[in-house]
Structures are given as C-alpha cells and as structure tokens.
Amino acid sequence: MGSLTSIYVFACVFLSILWNNIQPTVENKIIANYSGHLLTKVPKNIPVHTHVLDLSHNNISEITNLKFIYLPDLQVLNLSHNLITELDFSVFIFNQDLEYLDLSHNNIWTAYCQMLARLRHLDLSFNKFTVLPVCQEFGIMFHLEYLGLSTRMIRRSDFRYVTHLQLNTVFLTLEDFSLYEPLSLTALNTKNLHIVFAADQNFNFSLLYDGMSTSEKLKIFNLRYTLSHKDLPSPSLKLLKNIKATDLMLEIGDLQWTILLQIFLLVWDSTVEHLTVRNLIFRGPVMELTEYKFAPLLRPLEQLLSLGSSMKALTLEHVRNKVYYFNQEHLYRLFSEMNIDSLTIYDACMPHMLCPQKTSSFQYINFSRNALTDELFQNCDTLANLKLLILNRNKFKSLSKVSFMTSRMKSLRYLDMSSNLLRNSGAEKRCQWTDSLSELDLSSNQLTESVFECLPVNINKLDLQNNQIASVPTGIAELQSLKELNLASNRLADLPGCRAFAGLEILNIERNLILTPSADFFESCPSVKELQAGQNPFKCSCELQDFLRLQRQSGGKLSGWPEAYVCKYQEELMRTQLKDFRLNELACNTTLTFVTVSLLTLVLVAVVAFLCIYLDVLWYVRMLWQWTQAKRRAWHDCPEGRETVLQFHAFISYRERDSLWVKNELIPNLEKGEGCIQLCQHERNFIPGKSIVENIINCIEKSYKSIFVLSPNFVQSEWCHYELYFAHHKLFSENSNSLVLILLEPIPPYVIPARYHKLKALMAKRTYLEWPKERSKRALFWANLRAAISIKLPTSFETDEEQSEVTSTSSMTQPLIK
Ligand SMILES: *[C@@H]1O[C@H](CO)[C@@H](O)[C@H](O)[C@H]1NC(C)=O
Ligand SMILES: *[C@@H]1O[C@H](CO)[C@@H](O)[C@H](O)[C@H]1NC(C)=O
Ligand SMILES: *[C@@H]1O[C@H](CO)[C@@H](O)[C@H](O)[C@H]1NC(C)=O
Ligand SMILES: *[C@@H]1O[C@H](CO)[C@@H](O)[C@H](O)[C@H]1NC(C)=O
Ligand SMILES: *[C@@H]1O[C@H](CO)[C@@H](O)[C@H](O)[C@H]1NC(C)=O
C-alpha cells in the first residue's frame, strides 16, 4: 500500500513538472484581431488555430455563419459593440474550449440557450433584453465566474437557475427599468455585484437594500433620484438586519443632499466598512444638519456618526458644492468627529478642516486635491493616532508651518506634501517636525537649497524632486537615518557628497544640470547601492573621463546605464551614449602628453644623431646641396658667347702621384653614362710643340670647368700653382664659377703654403667635393661631379687638328669604360 502511494505521489510530482514545462507554449496564444474593421459579417478566413478572436467594434448583425467556421481552439471571443439582435448559443457548439464570451453593447433582445461547459466569462450587458436572459442551461455552467446581464425588469424567480452557482461578479445594466420585485436580487450568490442605472431614471431603493443584502462588495453606478426626499420609502428594520455588504461604492449621477444623507445614515448603521462616494454634489434644499434625524432610528446625526460602528474608511471623490447658504463649519465638524480609521476627501475644493475635539481614531487622512492652506491642523494634538497624512495638490506655502502642523502628531510616519506651493520663506531655521516622521514627499514645490535647514531628523526616505534646488549646502544638520533621497528634476550642477547623510543607499539625481559629475562620489558615499544619474546634459569631454571610470568601478550601481546616459552638451556628440563615447587618453592627460612629446623629441634627436654619425647624412646633404646648386647654375649661366670656344666639359689638373686615381676612377666614371662628358687632360690633349703653360692655358680656356684634384702632394706642386693661377685668373675675368675642387685626401690647413690665399679661402669655404672612402657614397659623388660640369657643348666643331684629336680620343676612351 505504502509503495503504491509513493508511486502515485511520484507520478503526480512528475506530471506537475511536465505540466509546468508545457504551460509557456499554452500561453503562446494565436490572436486574430478584427476590432474596428467595419465588418458586417463574421469573416471566413480566420486562422483555424486562433485562440483569441476579437471582432469588437464592427457592424456585425448576424453570427449564424460562425457555426460553419471551424475554430476548435477558440478560447476568447469578443463580439462587443456590434449590431447583433438575436443570439443563438448553438453557433458556439463547436467551440467547446470557449471560456470568454463578450457580447456586450449589442442590440440583443432574445437568446436561445445552449450549454457551453467551459465558459467562465459571459457578458450580455448593455443589450436590449426585456427580461433577464438567465436560462436553465446557465445552471450547469459550473465554471461561470462572471455574468453580465441587461434587463428592463427583475422578477423574483429570474435567478432561480443560477442560485446554486458561486459567482464572482454579476454585472447588471438596467436600461428603461420598469419593474423590480423586492428580494429578487437576494437569490444571487456572488461576491461582487455591480449595478448600472440608466442615465435618465430614478433608482429603486429596494434594489439598493437588496444589493447590500446580496453581496459583500456592491458598486452602484449612476445613482439618481429627482423626486423629493419626502417620497423616499424608509427601509424596514428587518431589511436592515439582512445587510451583509462590507464594501460599497456609489457613483452618483444626480442626487439631492438629503437623499444622500439618508443613504449615508443607512450605511453608517450597517455592516459596511468601506464606503466610497463618487461625484458627490451638494444640491437642493438644505436643512440644518443638526436637525436631521435618521428615520428608522431617530438618532441625531452627530451622535450617530461619532458612535462606534462597522465603518472604517470613508472616501469621497469629486465633491462639488452648489448650495450657498449652508454652515460649512457643521460639515467639517461632522467629518472631523467621525469615529473611523481612514478618511479620504479627494478633489473637493475643500478650503479647511477642523481639528478633532477629542483624540481621534484617524490613522489615515487623504485630503489630496483640495484648497487647504497653512492653517490646517495648527496646534492640533488630537490626531495622535494619525500615521499617514496625504495633502498633495493643495495650497500650502510655508514649510515651517507644515513642520509645526506635524509636531504634535506623535504617530505620523508618512507625509505627502507634493504639488503644493511650498517655497522658502526664510523661516526654515524655525522648524519643528514630529520625531516619528520617516517618509516625506516634498516633490513638485518651489523649494530651494535652504530646505535642507528644515528637515525631520529621523527621516528615512525623502522626495525632493521637481524643485528649485541648485546645490546641497555643506554644514547642514546630519540626517543619519536617510536612506533614500530623490533630487531628480532640480538644478544641481554636480553630484552631492554624503557629508550630511552618511547612511544614504539610494540617490536619484536624474534630469538636473550636471555636465561633468565629480568622480569622488562613491568614496564620499560608501553605503550607496544605487545611483540614478541619467538624463543629465552630459558634456562629453576630458572631464567626463573620471566619471566613466567611476561607472566601471561602481559594479552596476549606476541605474539606467547605459540608455539614460547620453551626451547632450555638444552638437556633434548629441545622442551619443556615454558608453560609446571614447576619448584619447593622451589628449586628456597633460603630464602624459608632455612626457610623450618629450620622449618623441628625444627619439627624433637620437635618430638624427645616429644617422649623422653612422650613415654620414650630413655628407649626403652637403653633396645634394652642391648638386642642386650646380644644376641651378648650369641652368642660369648659359655660356652664350663662349659656345664657339668651349670644346670640353672640364679640364682636369692633378699631381702625378694622384694620376692612378684620375685614370682609374675619375676619367672612366665621368666619361661613362649618357651625358658623354669631354675631358681635357694634359697628357692626352696637349698639343706638341707648345709649351706646357701654353697647353694648360689652352686647355683651361676651351673647358667649361677646371677640376683640381687636391691632395697634400698637389698643394706643393709647382705646376699646379700655375694651373691654379690661370684658373684663378679666368674665374675673376669671366665672373664664372669655373673651379671644381676634389679633395682626395684631407689636407690639414697648415700644409697649404701661406701664399695660396685663394686655395685657402676656397678650402675655408668648403666648396670642394670630398672623395668618400665608402663605396656606397661614391655614386652620389659622381652624380654631383657630373652635375657640376655638365653643359651642352656646341655640336659643330671647326675641323682643326686639336679637335679631331679630342674627338678621336674621347671616342677611343668610351668603349674602354663601357
Ligand atoms: C485589438 O485591437 C484593438 C485596437 O485596434 C485593441 O484595443 C484590442 O485590445 C485588441 N485586441 C486584442 C485581443 O488584443
Ligand atoms: C455601421 O453602423 C453604424 C450605425 O448603425 C452606421 O452609422 C455606419 O454607417 C455603419 N457602417 C458600415 C460600414 O456599415
Ligand atoms: C475584447 O476582449 C478581449 C478579452 O478580454 C480583450 O483582450 C480585448 O481588448 C477586447 N477588445 C476591445 C476592443 O476592448
Ligand atoms: C421600486 O420598485 C418597486 C416595484 O416595482 C416599486 O413598488 C417601488 O415604488 C420602487 N421604488 C422606487 C423608489 O422607485
Ligand atoms: C488619495 O485618494 C485618492 C482618491 O481615492 C487616491 O486616488 C489616491 O491614490 C490616494 N492617495 C494615497 C497616497 O493613498
């Protein structure tokens, strides 16, 4: 037996787990929504597996074809706001899963019933039924919870088929209501009963009493009675005994004050605990309240109200006064002396309320949306039990006076002063709050930072949003219990520190004027768990860098990140999320920038130095400079008059000891290449029979340039002296820079004899070409030299023997080099 039970239990657990896993797919419903499609018929192409079909707000008058549309999974069908006149439930015969059927707001006046076993919600309200459409089949719809009906008359036998059903809500709309048989409603068995009267009809008191005897929660809409209160029937004491309602809501259409008072007194003496009256208008002939006696009990009103009863909470919403001569003082007295827990008078233009004369039972007072001023409850010590006081949307102006109002409310925990006219009056230093106050709402006022001088010491949660606070002053009294502070929508320019609120856990500072929040926030506020700082006009610049770091370190304490944090200040970054805002570390860190720049400079200098030392860059630069100069000169001074004279590009002068270099290096290198350089060399081109000096002069005169190969040997050579002399001479006479010096070996200055002024000067000016020892540099050397001597020689030579010899030698030398 034991093992069987355990298997059974196991199976149940297994199945329930399985069921839980299936549920999500069950939730995934297919919805076909044809609401407001101007349909006149039920469409044919509805998807077969539709779960929810919304055909509301159309002009459908016929639903018989619904029978032929196969929708086996249909659970919800909304046919409200159509033009259906006849209802035959058999059209739903194939929709056996139907749970929710809304046929409200049609013109149905007749119905043919059929069982719909799974139906939970059936709404036939706002139709044109004359008698209640409650048929026998409803009695076996055991899942039914909600039943909406409309009718013109209610007879005692009407609910006989549903008496045994335990309903949740019955909704009755009574258009053109003509007949009510007393005690008919009491046959119903429902938790909630809602009754809507037609707009132009007097309601029936029997219905009200019976409704209160039928369900615990009764709501009556559009309560109106335009006859005199003298016609009002008094309920019997027996009837009053049957009342079981605890919650009653009356929405008034049009009711005289005396009629309402009648209802009010009935309710007061009943089981009702919560009474809500909406749209109450004081109207009609008013008699003095003190004179008024409740008919069946004949007790004076005031005495009745202050006596203990079931009544706990009274709510009056949207109250208007159309009576002019009437003692308001009396009315206030009536309310203030009520022996109930909670009193709400909402949206009543009420300018004042009296302090109760003896210790009041009020724990909750809600006077939201009135015209109350600073004079309310001043010096009032009878509200000692009051825990919650809601005074938002009134006309309070002085925070100091508000604090004095609370000072004697020993139990007050929560005070809502939002949306008033509170502003700083300069009297903030004189504030006296009750010690019990832990939650205070001062939002939507005109308070500035001096509000911090007038706050309850034990405050736990403080709402200051939507005020004019520009900073949180230093040196304010410490609020040690403060855990939650809302400063949203103020004018703060930075995050406040937590000097005065060491225990702060939640801070809201959204929608302020914070451009660049300071980064030391979490250090100064160690207990903060949540910071809401979004929707500020963040300026995305270097200063924000610290805040972004703060975000990364905060471990998710920044609420609303990243959506609410957007660059606002600069045009080009508008709407960029802070998350995506990247700044160059370098651009933001001045020391880093300095160090980097210095390092870069150092490296550059080092590289330059390295190049200079190891690769002789300076040498290359000098060579390149000389080459460009040579090119430039060649361009500028076209040797016009000398065309006929010039036969050679250059005359080469050298010392015998350097002849090896000249023959092996200089000549082959100059004569090769496309330029076809013609050289005059004394060994090769000297004319026999002429003196050496004559030959040299001849050679120099026929050459465009004179190349001197300088070495210590050369400097001492006699011939060279001559040669130099001529060249020197030519240099000055023709003002042309015809000298090219090649320094084969370095010449220490002391080696040059003192009389060679010109040579010394030339050497000092460093206008010579150095013969590089490294092979790699030689190409540039030759290019430079070639550039220095390159010139276009005249092509037509006179046929004299010297020239023929020259051309022959040059043509002879060429193959040798190639
Ligand atoms: C169908 O659409 C209307 C608005 O067009 C909407 O009010 C209604 O809730 C939708 N119905 C369902 C079942 O979603
Ligand atoms: C729907 O019915 C309303 C009221 O009867 C009518 O005014 C309107 O013209 C009808 N619309 C269509 C599309 O039939
Ligand atoms: C029709 O009823 C369904 C089910 O409650 C609801 O979701 C839908 O919003 C209703 N349609 C309209 C237009 O109210
Ligand atoms: C309420 O209805 C009953 C029965 O129809 C009728 O006798 C009675 O006068 C009605 N009362 C009011 C106040 O209309
Ligand atoms: C005050 O009463 C109004 C009207 O009943 C209600 O809407 C509001 O929520 C109440 N306020 C509080 C804070 O309970």
Side-chain angles (χ1 to χ4, degrees):
M1 237 351 234
S3 64
L4 255 178
T5 354
S6 62
I7 287 171
Y8 174 74
V9 167
F10 175 79
C12 284
V13 169
F14 178 73
L15 278 178
S16 78
I17 290 170
L18 199 68
W19 174 244
N20 283 339
N21 285 339
I22 291 170
Q23 212 121 41
T25 53
V26 171
E27 290 289 303
N28 224 344
K29 293 194 169 147
I30 299 169
I31 298 174
N33 195 346
Y34 299 90
S35 180
H37 278 44
L38 301 173
L39 299 173
T40 52
K41 269 189 284 201
V42 178
K44 293 209 178 72
N45 52 350
I46 301 166
V48 174
H49 293 291
T50 299
H51 293 113
V52 179
L53 177 57
D54 195 341
L55 288 165
S56 61
H57 296 276
N58 283 296
N59 274 8
I60 300 170
S61 54
E62 271 283 318
I63 52 168
T64 40
N65 65 336
L66 200 59
K67 197 173 186 171
F68 308 106
I69 300 168
Y70 184 61
L71 300 167
D73 298 333
L74 195 65
Q75 291 173 350
V76 177
L77 175 57
N78 192 342
L79 275 163
S80 66
H81 295 274
N82 276 289
L83 304 171
I84 304 166
T85 52
E86 286 189 24
L87 171 65
D88 186 352
F89 277 91
S90 68
V91 301
F92 310 113
I93 193 99
F94 300 116
N95 312 125
Q96 281 306 319
D97 283 347
L98 199 60
E99 292 181 4
Y100 182 107
L101 180 57
D102 189 349
L103 286 156
S104 64
H105 297 275
N106 277 282
N107 298 329
I108 309 172
W109 57 276
T110 179
Y112 308 99
C113 289
Q114 185 88 37
M115 222 281 271
L116 292 169
R118 288 180 158 266
L119 211 59
R120 290 163 180 276
H121 182 113
L122 174 62
D123 197 346
L124 295 168
S125 61
F126 297 103
N127 274 292
K128 299 260 186 309
F129 292 102
T130 316
V131 291
L132 274 169
V134 181
C135 37
Q136 203 165 356
E137 284 80 357
F138 287 7
I140 43 173
M141 303 207 278
F142 294 108
H143 292 288
L144 209 57
E145 292 170 357
Y146 182 100
L147 184 57
L149 300 166
S150 84
T151 186
R152 291 185 190 175
M153 50 179 100
I154 300 176
R155 290 207 190 84
R156 208 162 291 169
S157 57
D158 283 350
F159 294 110
R160 65 186 182 281
Y161 298 124
V162 291
T163 305
H164 61 283
L165 291 183
Q166 177 57 60
L167 297 168
N168 187 296
T169 304
V170 172
F171 185 68
L172 281 175
T173 61
L174 307 175
E175 200 100 6
D176 294 327
F177 195 58
S178 58
L179 177 75
Y180 178 72
E181 283 184 11
L183 298 178
S184 301
L185 275 182
T186 50
L188 275 173
N189 189 355
T190 179
K191 284 202 190 95
N192 297 279
L193 178 60
H194 301 173
I195 302 173
V196 181
F197 285 99
D200 52 358
Q201 244 181 339
N202 291 327
F203 87 102
N204 189 302
F205 271 94
S206 302
L207 207 66
L208 173 67
Y209 304 139
D210 286 352
M212 287 173 73
S213 309
T214 303
S215 84
E216 286 172 8
K217 294 180 180 172
L218 177 65
K219 288 188 181 178
I220 296 186
F221 299 89
N222 207 13
L223 204 63
R224 60 179 62 233
Y225 198 85
T226 48
L227 305 177
S228 152
H229 76 281
K230 300 232 164 50
D231 307 327
L232 199 69
S234 298
S236 67
L237 279 172
K238 182 173 165 283
L239 204 68
L240 293 179
K241 284 212 181 72
N242 289 332
I243 287 179
K244 63 174 180 184
T246 57
D247 283 50
L248 179 61
M249 198 283 282
L250 304 173
E251 192 193 275
I252 294 170
D254 188 3
L255 212 59
Q256 283 184 13
W257 165 233
T258 43
I259 305 278
L260 182 73
L261 215 53
Q262 181 79 21
I263 299 171
F264 195 66
L265 293 170
L266 161 75
V267 170
W268 201 267
D269 219 26
S270 72
T271 51
V272 173
E273 294 174 3
H274 302 99
L275 172 65
T276 302
V277 183
R278 283 197 192 139
N279 300 340
L280 176 62
I281 298 172
F282 292 109
R283 206 174 70 74
V286 178
M287 53 166 99
E288 273 306 316
L289 289 166
T290 38
E291 293 168 14
Y292 198 83
K293 293 201 168 58
F294 184 45
L297 303 168
L298 293 172
R299 265 198 224 127
L301 179 71
E302 276 170 42
Q303 191 193 342
L304 184 75
L305 290 183
S306 58
L307 274 177
S309 75
S310 314
M311 187 66 81
K312 291 200 175 92
L314 172 65
T315 302
L316 305 179
E317 291 178 11
H318 313 293
V319 185
R320 294 291 176 271
N321 181 15
K322 292 195 173 162
V323 179
Y324 302 102
Y325 308 105
F326 119 88
N327 190 342
Q328 293 200 3
E329 186 90 6
H330 256 119
L331 196 62
Y332 295 146
R333 191 50 74 203
L334 206 70
F335 284 118
S336 66
E337 303 309 321
M338 278 180 180
N339 190 7
I340 54 175
D341 289 349
S342 89
L343 174 64
T344 298
I345 301 176
Y346 172 79
D347 184 23
C349 305
M350 182 170 68
H352 193 54
M353 178 51 71
L354 298 173
C355 177
Q357 282 168 337
K358 57 184 193 306
T359 303
S360 165
S361 57
F362 289 136
Q363 295 186 19
Y364 171 98
I365 288 179
N366 181 345
F367 290 158
S368 165
R369 256 189 116 150
N370 279 291
L372 296 166
T373 63
D374 293 336
E375 302 314 314
L376 185 78
F377 297 147
Q378 291 293 330
N379 303 315
C380 177
D381 18 80
T382 48
L383 288 168
N385 295 312
L386 193 62
K387 295 193 176 90
L388 291 92
L389 179 55
I390 293 125
L391 295 170
N392 65 319
R393 296 185 169 227
N394 275 286
K395 296 202 157 74
F396 290 89
K397 286 185 179 152
S398 161
L399 191 59
S400 155
K401 281 223 161 176
V402 169
S403 80
F404 280 107
M405 172 187 77
T406 70
S407 64
R408 300 179 194 196
M409 299 174 178
K410 298 277 172 277
S411 312
L412 191 68
R413 280 190 281 111
Y414 176 85
L415 175 62
D416 184 352
M417 297 299 307
S418 60
S419 303
N420 272 285
L421 307 168
L422 294 175
R423 54 169 69 242
N424 294 97
S425 58
E428 278 70 34
K429 299 243 196 285
R430 294 191 299 108
C431 281
Q432 195 180 346
W433 297 91
T434 172
D435 288 344
S436 57
L437 195 60
S438 68
E439 207 173 312
L440 177 59
D441 190 344
L442 293 172
S443 60
S444 301
N445 280 290
Q446 280 137 41
L447 296 162
T448 61
E449 41 275 28
S450 52
V451 67
F452 287 99
E453 286 161 22
C454 175
L455 287 175
V457 278
N458 295 322
I459 195 79
N460 198 284
K461 187 174 167 187
L462 177 61
D463 193 340
L464 282 168
Q465 71 169 305
N466 196 19
N467 275 289
Q468 306 287 329
I469 300 168
S471 68
V472 175
T474 52
I476 52 174
E478 225 176 293
L479 302 172
Q480 271 165 343
S481 315
L482 191 63
K483 296 230 168 353
E484 211 177 318
L485 176 60
N486 190 340
L487 285 168
S489 301
N490 274 286
R491 302 192 313 184
L492 288 151
D494 198 359
L495 296 174
C498 288
R499 240 169 278 112
F501 357 93
L504 196 66
E505 288 177 2
I506 299 174
L507 174 65
N508 185 339
I509 193 152
E510 290 174 340
R511 296 182 299 276
N512 273 277
L513 302 176
I514 302 178
L515 306 184
T516 51
S518 60
D520 59 356
F521 176 75
F522 285 112
E523 283 150 43
S524 110
C525 305
S527 25
V528 164
K529 295 197 185 90
E530 187 185 335
L531 170 65
Q532 290 165 260
Q535 296 172 60
N536 273 293
F538 293 109
K539 183 181 174 188
C540 285
S541 66
C542 287
E543 292 95 82
L544 208 65
Q545 208 69 350
D546 292 340
F547 182 69
L548 294 178
R549 203 171 304 121
L550 183 84
Q551 187 277 322
R552 267 174 261 132
Q553 291 163 358
S554 73
K557 285 179 187 170
L558 216 55
S559 156
W561 182 271
E563 307 80 36
Y565 298 77
V566 175
C567 301
K568 258 285 171 56
Y569 203 73
Q570 300 101 314
E571 194 89 355
E572 68 276 14
L573 288 167
M574 278 279 199
R575 281 184 282 280
T576 309
Q577 285 188 357
L578 259 55
K579 168 176 73 86
D580 302 324
F581 168 62
R582 295 273 171 279
L583 249 190
N584 201 341
E585 279 281 329
L586 226 155
C588 292
N589 193 333
T590 35
T591 14
L592 195 63
T593 317
F594 179 74
V595 168
T596 316
V597 168
S598 320
L599 271 179
L600 276 179
T601 319
L602 264 179
V603 166
L604 200 70
V605 167
V607 165
V608 168
F610 174 84
L611 286 177
C612 290
I613 293 164
Y614 286 93
L615 300 177
D616 238 344
V617 169
L618 281 181
W619 183 86
Y620 282 104
V621 170
R622 209 164 60 228
M623 291 303 267
L624 273 174
W625 170 247
Q626 284 174 354
W627 181 78
T628 47
Q629 289 297 306
K631 279 280 179 202
R632 190 176 59 82
R633 248 180 268 122
W635 178 259
H636 281 297
D637 30 271
C638 308
E640 270 156 38
R642 297 163 60 207
E643 281 155 355
T644 45
V645 188
L646 286 181
Q647 283 175 21
F648 303 102
H649 284 102
F651 156 70
I652 307 171
S653 165
Y654 54 94
R655 173 74 211 233
E656 202 52 47
R657 276 181 60 182
D658 302 323
S659 65
L660 218 56
W661 180 79
V662 171
K663 279 179 194 137
N664 295 343
E665 295 275 359
L666 184 69
I667 298 174
N669 269 304
L670 282 183
E671 285 185 342
K672 83 173 177 195
E674 66 290 354
C676 213
I677 302 280
Q678 311 273 2
L679 297 174
C680 184
Q681 193 191 350
H682 57 57
E683 285 167 24
R684 214 162 57 177
N685 304 94
F686 271 24
I687 304 157
K690 289 199 177 166
S691 71
I692 291 171
V693 176
E694 264 179 321
N695 266 314
I696 289 174
I697 291 170
N698 188 33
C699 226
I700 287 176
E701 272 177 352
K702 286 181 176 165
S703 296
Y704 170 51
K705 289 277 163 99
S706 305
I707 298 174
F708 292 87
V709 179
L710 299 184
S711 65
N713 306 322
F714 177 91
V715 175
Q716 275 126 28
S717 155
E718 188 70 15
W719 288 119
C720 299
H721 180 208
Y722 277 116
E723 286 159 1
L724 196 58
Y725 170 75
F726 290 122
H728 187 182
H729 179 76
K730 188 182 167 193
L731 189 73
F732 288 103
S733 62
E734 289 173 25
N735 197 19
S736 75
N737 214 346
S738 62
L739 268 186
V740 178
L741 304 181
I742 295 174
L743 200 62
L744 208 54
E745 287 168 45
I747 306 172
Y750 61 87
V751 179
I752 306 170
R755 57 186 188 279
Y756 295 177
H757 308 291
K758 182 64 194 171
L759 188 59
K760 274 194 157 182
L762 287 170
M763 293 297 289
K765 274 202 268 172
R766 297 176 69 85
T767 51
Y768 49 79
L769 292 168
E770 255 173 301
W771 170 244
K773 296 272 177 286
E774 300 89 340
R775 292 206 151 268
S776 57
K777 291 179 180 174
R778 287 184 185 165
L780 189 55
F781 172 85
W782 294 124
N784 227 330
L785 188 55
R786 226 174 281 129
I789 60 174
S790 78
I791 188 173
K792 204 163 179 300
L793 293 180
T795 40
S796 58
F797 292 131
E798 295 157 52
T799 47
D800 90 62
E801 46 180 354
E802 302 154 16
Q803 282 150 5
S804 66
E805 209 176 333
V806 167
T807 41
S808 71
T809 43
S810 60
S811 59
M812 241 174 65
T813 48
Q814 232 139 18
L816 272 174
I817 298 151
K818 280 197 176 162

